[in-house]
Amino acid sequence: MRGTLMNATTARATAKADAVRGNHDDHDDHDDDKVTAAEVGPGRGAEPARGAPPAKSARPRFRLSADGPVVRYGGPLAVLAAVLGLWYLVSYGVLEPSRRFLLPAPHVVVTDGLLGPNISGMLEALGRTATVALTGLAIAFVIGVVWAIVMSQEKWAERSLFPYAVVLQCIPILALVPLIGFWFGFGFTARVFVCVLIALFPIVSNTLFGLKSVDPGLRRLFKLHHAGRLTVLRKLEAPAALPALFEGLRVAAGLSVVGAIVGDFFFKQGEPGIGILIDTFRARLQSPELFASILLASVLGVAVFLFFGLLSRKVVGRWYNPEAGR
């Protein structure tokens, strides 16, 4: 009897253990199914249900090319349209009619200023300002390149001369204008001197950077061939410095136009430049002519900047492309 009870108890315990083991195996099977589905993913293991519509393929996203005509021309035109809209808003929506001379509308600037009776005088003055600016830029180019070459040849020359280039850049030109007038008078020479002072530092710093940015491997190669200093400068350093030199020249070109206009403001003698006309129109409250003169001076600066940019691409564009690394 006792043996029969023990056999019955053992049988029930075995049955419970088998039941628990079976449940555990079921959970393991579910977990394995989940892991398998997760590993396979919807694109590989999952198949669309029967009768379900086929999944739509992802369409390529439309992106504007940075070099395309939409971005190259559409962006600046959009900004110009926004500026003109804001200009009209201030002229007709903010200013009273009696104070509208402070900011005449763009079409008034064109009709009364650029197409008005004073346009011939403004163009002649613009030509004189351009002559002063380009003369000062040419002198600054010669002085700046020679200055940079001297500093690039010896370390002691760079340490002795470069601080004075920085000082020359930091001195406010307007503070020197009376002194320049005492030295050179108040005519063409004084205006050119102001242009040289303003345009000199970008040429010096960029040319020096270009001369010192030569590949050290190429410099060692020239040294192994016992190349002279003049040969290294002519065949290695000068070509390597051309991109930086033209960048500095473009910046200096815009600054030389600014220097010519500043000289006109302070040296009001001789034949008037565009700066003198701007001051005259301001004193007479001739707003359309004033804005037209400012636009002509801006066009001169942009034209000089674009000219040197085009010249840079013609000279160094075949073997130097800064956009290639982007």
Side-chain angles (χ1 to χ4, degrees):
M1 185 66 181
R2 185 177 180 182
T4 303
L5 290 175
M6 289 182 63
N7 292 334
T9 302
T10 303
R12 286 196 296 270
T14 303
K16 289 182 178 178
D18 293 340
V20 170
R21 192 180 299 112
N23 292 334
H24 184 69
D25 292 340
D26 292 340
H27 284 296
D28 290 342
D29 293 340
H30 285 297
D31 293 340
D32 293 340
D33 294 340
K34 292 179 180 178
V35 171
T36 302
E39 289 177 349
V40 170
R44 296 173 56 185
E47 296 181 356
R50 293 181 178 178
K56 296 182 179 179
S57 60
R59 295 181 179 178
R61 300 179 62 182
F62 178 72
R63 298 183 63 181
L64 291 176
S65 174
D67 296 330
V70 176
V71 175
R72 179 171 296 181
Y73 303 107
L77 290 177
V79 174
L80 177 62
V83 171
L84 291 178
L86 181 63
W87 191 341
Y88 273 109
L89 177 64
V90 174
S91 296
Y92 291 105
V94 177
L95 295 176
E96 298 291 335
S98 60
R99 296 175 58 84
R100 197 161 291 163
F101 68 94
L102 295 175
L103 187 64
H107 69 277
V108 177
V109 173
V110 173
T111 55
D112 295 350
L114 294 176
L115 302 179
N118 294 320
I119 185 60
S120 59
M122 287 190 285
L123 291 178
E124 292 177 1
L126 184 66
R128 298 187 193 100
T129 301
T131 303
V132 171
L134 294 180
T135 304
L137 179 64
I139 296 175
F141 173 76
V142 175
I143 297 176
V145 171
V146 173
W147 193 340
I149 290 176
V150 171
M151 289 191 295
S152 67
Q153 298 303 308
E154 295 291 345
K155 193 68 177 179
W156 62 265
E158 180 183 354
R159 291 179 176 174
S160 302
L161 295 176
F162 192 75
Y164 293 99
V166 177
V167 170
L168 187 64
Q169 174 66 17
C170 296
I171 291 177
I173 299 301
L174 296 181
L176 292 178
V177 167
L179 187 61
I180 295 171
F182 287 146
W183 288 347
F184 302 101
F186 297 90
F188 179 81
T189 306
R191 294 186 176 95
V192 171
F193 192 81
V194 172
C195 294
V196 173
L197 289 181
I198 291 181
L200 188 57
F201 183 77
I203 298 176
V204 173
S205 60
N206 282 48
T207 306
L208 179 62
F209 171 77
L211 292 172
K212 296 180 68 176
S213 62
V214 176
D215 187 358
L218 295 176
R219 196 180 289 279
R220 286 194 295 270
L221 180 62
F222 272 68
K223 190 175 181 180
L224 286 176
H225 287 276
H226 304 288
R229 182 169 295 183
L230 184 60
T231 303
V232 174
L233 175 65
R234 184 167 55 90
K235 294 187 176 181
L236 179 63
E237 293 178 342
L242 281 180
L245 172 62
F246 275 103
E247 289 296 325
L249 198 56
R250 284 203 298 177
V251 176
L255 292 177
S256 65
V257 176
V258 175
I261 295 175
V262 170
D264 284 340
F265 271 113
F266 287 92
F267 305 129
K268 299 178 181 178
Q269 293 184 6
E271 296 180 340
I274 196 68
I276 294 179
L277 286 187
I278 289 174
D279 192 47
T280 302
F281 293 143
R282 177 199 59 80
R284 296 176 181 175
L285 297 180
Q286 293 178 279
S287 298
E289 289 82 358
L290 173 62
F291 278 86
S293 301
I294 295 173
L295 288 177
L296 289 178
S298 303
V299 169
L300 174 61
V302 172
V304 174
F305 183 86
L306 293 178
F307 170 75
F308 283 103
L310 180 62
L311 183 63
S312 173
R313 285 195 293 272
K314 292 293 184 183
V315 175
V316 300
R318 295 180 180 177
W319 52 271
Y320 177 76
N321 184 13
E323 302 292 336
R326 296 184 177 179

